[in-house]
Amino acid sequence: LISDAGTLKRVDYSYLKSENTPAFKAYVTSGQSVASGSHTKLNYTTEVFDTDSMYDASNSRWQPTTAGYYFVTGGARFDPDSETELWLQLRKNGSFYLSLFDFQPTDSWCNMGSRIMYANGSDYFELYAYHGSGSTETFGAGDQHTEFSAYKIIGA
């Protein structure tokens, strides 16, 4: 109940609550080989949750059909043989959109990057990794450190 200038009124809870959906989280179940010097799509095939069935685990692709602004997070873990450059990039509709992170790790590591971005209701998103170690490296190990997730923060 709420009061409007002394008059009590009933308001349905659905008008008061805030939901950050659609939302999903997926991770790389087992190690994935990524060749040096190439951008490779990471296979986030295990879903932790997917509130509105907008994540396609078989294609490691997220397509939110609700337009709005989203908080997107990506993570990658690998054990480079030597100091190397690493990029984790978010692709929108198959093209480079933005880097979630890029730097030169010197040891086994895990890092996350996040951004707020807009999706129009028909866009799709994928994560790609790049490294320049000179040899093939393995990303992820089924420990959920190599993950991809997002949730809606506000409407269009």
Side-chain angles (χ1 to χ4, degrees):
L1 296 175
I2 61 171
S3 175
D4 182 13
T7 304
L8 292 178
K9 295 183 177 184
R10 180 181 168 269
V11 175
D12 192 281
Y13 174 70
S14 65
Y15 294 111
L16 301 175
K17 68 180 180 175
S18 174
E19 290 188 21
N20 295 104
T21 58
F24 83 97
K25 179 181 177 181
Y27 66 97
V28 174
T29 306
S30 59
Q32 179 180 344
S33 295
V34 175
S36 180
S38 67
H39 290 89
T40 303
K41 182 176 168 179
L42 293 178
N43 297 319
Y44 298 89
T45 56
T46 302
E47 289 182 62
V48 177
F49 63 88
D50 184 4
T51 63
D52 296 77
S53 299
M54 294 182 185
Y55 184 74
D56 179 356
S58 64
N59 290 309
S60 299
R61 177 183 288 182
W62 173 57
Q63 186 170 2
T65 57
T66 304
Y69 289 90
Y70 290 84
F71 185 82
V72 178
T73 301
R77 177 185 180 137
F78 84 124
D79 300 314
D81 295 331
S82 61
E83 186 170 320
T84 183
E85 62 181 315
L86 171 75
W87 299 348
L88 185 64
Q89 63 176 224
L90 183 66
R91 291 197 181 183
K92 182 177 182 179
N93 303 323
S95 299
F96 172 79
Y97 182 60
L98 53 84
S99 285
L100 290 179
F101 64 80
D102 54 80
F103 47 91
Q104 297 183 349
T106 57
D107 199 354
S108 173
W109 65 277
C110 170
N111 201 354
M112 303 291 288
S114 57
R115 298 285 191 273
I116 294 174
M117 39 134 281
Y118 180 77
N120 68 12
S122 63
D123 294 322
Y124 68 88
F125 300 88
E126 302 160 309
L127 284 179
Y128 280 69
Y130 172 93
H131 70 90
S133 74
S135 60
T136 297
E137 300 288 351
T138 301
F139 280 69
D143 57 7
Q144 296 193 38
H145 285 110
T146 301
E147 70 172 62
F148 183 18
S149 62
Y151 61 90
K152 186 175 178 185
I153 55 175
I154 193 167

